[in-house]
Amino acid sequence: MCTVCGCSGTVKIGDLELTHEEAHQLGLPHGHDHDHDHVHAHDHGAHDHDHGHAHPPLSGGTIHFGLGVAGTSVPGMSQSRLIEIETGILSKNDAIAATNRRVLRALGAFAVNLVSSPGSGKTTLLCETIRRLGSHPLAVIEGDQQTSNDADRIRATGADAVQVNTGKGCHLDADMVARAMDALPLAPGGFLFIENVGNLVCPAAFDLGEDAKVAILSVTEGEDKPLKYPDMFTAARIALVNKVDLAPHCDTDLDLIETNLRRVNPMIEVIRVSARTGEGMEDWLRWLKARLTDKTLRKAG
Amino acid sequence: MHEMSLAEGIREVIEDQARKHAFERVRRLRLEIGRFAGVEKEALAFAFDVVMRGSPAEGAMLEMIDLPGRALCYDCGELVELADRLDPCPNCGSGKLMPQGGDEMRIKDMEVV
């Protein structure tokens, strides 16, 4: 049984069959079945709203054709009807993200969505990561509201990069990433780094098709940042605590940062790094390569 | 957070449904929003009015239904309901909680003519 959701059995994600535990570990969205029917057992006295299921037409005011659009109409009564949708608001985004995920799986490429506040050192960390990955195939999608500065910095390392400017947008969405992926040479067994817009709020809700969200938090931002912005750190699989070389100068309590990270996400992995001094960078690279190997093995198996 | 984008997502779904079910106007729309979804309901209501202009849902009544926030406690193993994301476990007082639902953002149904 999965320790996260309590479900047993497997889930199908695309053409991949995983256990629930694996799906949670990988942060992949998947369904949770129940063993009961969805009968509406709520107390009608407590609500003043209408229901869309098998009620007789009500007299006076609105009627709804209980069984949805296919229901019968009553001549002379209001033509309004109730359509049950039960669709996620971001269902379009999620569908495109699923396609991105399939493309990446077919390639055996591992994609990370790097999320953080502005100024946490994402781009510097990414440049250093690319430098240390050497000749390993990789590509980068850079998201910012304006300018191509970050993509320019990435290209200066020799890596392929596409800049996505979101204009007024505060996050990347799956469609932007799909288009950027089309414009990039993605090699089998490579890494795709997606540097999201610097924002700890909005990108949490938008699935891009990545394998993992990586939250970057620098030591100058305050130990309580995970508590202030819990959604992002809950969605992330790993947190990189960056600029640790500055910790002694800022009186930063690194242990407290980790405690707060685990307070909002007991499953989160944490690595302390400094892109500038190189501290922790080998651990981060090991993590990336291990996840890529996991994915390749799953594809082969 | 990004209520404008959410309102645009709602509009896309409504326009799809309008084509599929051949209706002209949405009178009322019901959303289900989880407590941990990070949605500012007032901001969404404002964005909804703006974004729906020129769509079948222009002027539609928007209702938002709160869904409870649930979390799994990693210490006592209970699935508990939380009013606030950072509340301790009501069962054992632990702070090691992983949200399990409560981040829903769904269009439940709509009344159309």
Side-chain angles (χ1 to χ4, degrees):
Chain A
M1 189 186 79
C2 174
T3 52
V4 177
C5 63
C7 289
S8 52
T10 57
V11 289
K12 283 281 264 188
I13 299 172
D15 52 8
L16 206 68
E17 196 161 30
L18 301 172
T19 65
H20 277 263
E21 199 143 25
E22 286 167 338
H24 283 284
Q25 265 173 10
L26 297 170
L28 298 174
H30 58 279
H32 294 87
D33 297 333
H34 324 265
D35 55 2
H36 58 266
D37 295 330
H38 278 259
V39 286
H40 288 257
H42 49 253
D43 174 11
H44 282 235
H47 298 262
D48 58 3
H49 54 255
D50 298 327
H51 295 268
H53 47 255
H55 286 283
L58 299 171
S59 61
T62 312
I63 59 155
H64 44 74
F65 305 129
L67 301 171
V69 217
T72 51
S73 75
V74 181
M77 303 288 277
S78 160
Q79 279 305 299
S80 81
R81 54 198 171 145
L82 195 76
I83 303 181
E84 298 229 21
I85 302 183
E86 299 287 356
T87 302
I89 291 176
L90 297 176
S91 53
K92 276 228 158 134
N93 181 78
D94 295 346
I96 300 170
T99 305
N100 292 349
R101 194 164 273 125
R102 267 192 298 277
V103 170
L104 290 162
R105 190 186 309 114
L107 277 170
F110 187 78
V112 293
N113 179 2
L114 301 161
V115 290
S116 81
S117 332
S120 66
K122 279 194 301 299
T123 311
T124 305
L125 185 88
L126 192 49
C127 288
E128 184 58 19
T129 304
I130 292 167
R131 198 184 65 74
R132 285 169 184 260
L133 281 169
S135 58
H136 196 108
L138 59 90
V140 178
I141 299 171
E142 280 289 336
D144 278 302
Q145 286 197 325
Q146 300 293 342
T147 83
S148 62
N149 293 357
D150 283 0
D152 294 343
R153 283 174 67 191
I154 298 294
R155 286 191 204 106
T157 68
D160 290 305
V162 167
Q163 179 79 48
V164 176
N165 283 142
T166 58
K168 298 277 185 290
C170 50
H171 56 268
L172 289 176
D173 63 36
D175 183 48
M176 295 172 186
V177 169
R179 292 186 202 197
M181 280 167 60
D182 282 344
L184 275 171
L186 289 175
F191 289 108
L192 175 64
F193 295 102
I194 306 166
E195 184 179 332
N196 218 314
V197 177
N199 176 348
L200 273 180
V201 186
C202 310
F206 289 82
D207 185 10
L208 306 179
E210 74 273 2
D211 293 283
K213 283 189 179 68
V214 177
I216 296 151
L217 171 64
S218 63
V219 302
T220 55
E221 297 175 43
E223 291 95 344
D224 57 352
K225 203 124 199 200
L227 305 180
K228 290 176 173 171
Y229 300 94
D231 295 341
M232 187 63 87
F233 295 99
T234 303
R237 185 158 159 205
I238 180 167
L240 302 179
V241 179
N242 194 22
K243 308 187 190 179
V244 284
D245 52 315
L246 294 181
H249 308 289
C250 309
D251 297 326
T252 307
D253 183 342
L254 292 170
D255 292 336
L256 182 56
I257 293 182
E258 290 204 17
T259 303
N260 288 336
L261 283 167
R262 297 208 165 87
R263 170 86 173 76
V264 298
N265 181 352
M267 300 275 279
I268 201 162
E269 296 175 71
V270 184
I271 302 178
R272 300 177 183 186
V273 297
S274 165
R276 198 170 74 90
T277 66
E279 183 180 344
M281 287 299 290
E282 285 310 310
D283 293 334
W284 160 231
L285 259 78
R286 243 193 311 280
W287 186 91
L288 277 173
K289 287 175 179 168
R291 297 293 82 74
L292 178 65
T293 307
D294 290 349
K295 188 169 181 178
T296 320
L297 288 178
R298 274 203 315 279
K299 186 175 174 250
Chain B
M1 49 175 181
H2 40 260
E3 283 72 8
M4 244 1 173
S5 304
L6 297 183
E8 282 163 9
I10 295 170
R11 181 171 173 153
E12 283 179 346
V13 174
I14 288 172
E15 286 175 342
D16 280 353
Q17 294 284 330
R19 276 190 292 274
K20 199 163 133 195
H21 296 305
F23 60 79
E24 282 171 14
R25 209 162 60 76
V26 179
R27 274 193 183 171
R28 202 166 55 108
L29 182 80
R30 291 201 297 168
L31 306 179
E32 289 177 319
I33 308 286
R35 253 180 203 280
F36 301 157
V39 174
E40 198 56 60
K41 289 198 282 183
E42 276 183 28
L44 182 56
F46 173 78
F48 181 83
D49 286 345
V50 175
V51 171
M52 294 309 145
R53 280 180 203 153
S55 84
E58 181 168 346
M61 191 168 50
L62 180 66
E63 264 181 56
M64 288 182 248
I65 303 163
D66 286 319
L67 296 182
R70 291 199 179 86
L72 180 69
C73 177
Y74 273 52
D75 280 329
C76 70
E78 290 289 317
L79 191 64
V80 294
E81 214 165 279
L82 298 181
D84 189 83
R85 174 70 183 78
L86 294 178
D87 281 352
C89 173
N91 193 43
C92 73
S94 160
K96 277 170 117 181
L97 295 153
M98 197 69 179
Q100 305 284 313
D103 57 351
E104 300 85 352
M105 296 188 277
R106 270 199 306 265
I107 303 175
K108 182 171 169 55
D109 52 29
M110 51 193 181
E111 190 186 316
V112 300
V113 281

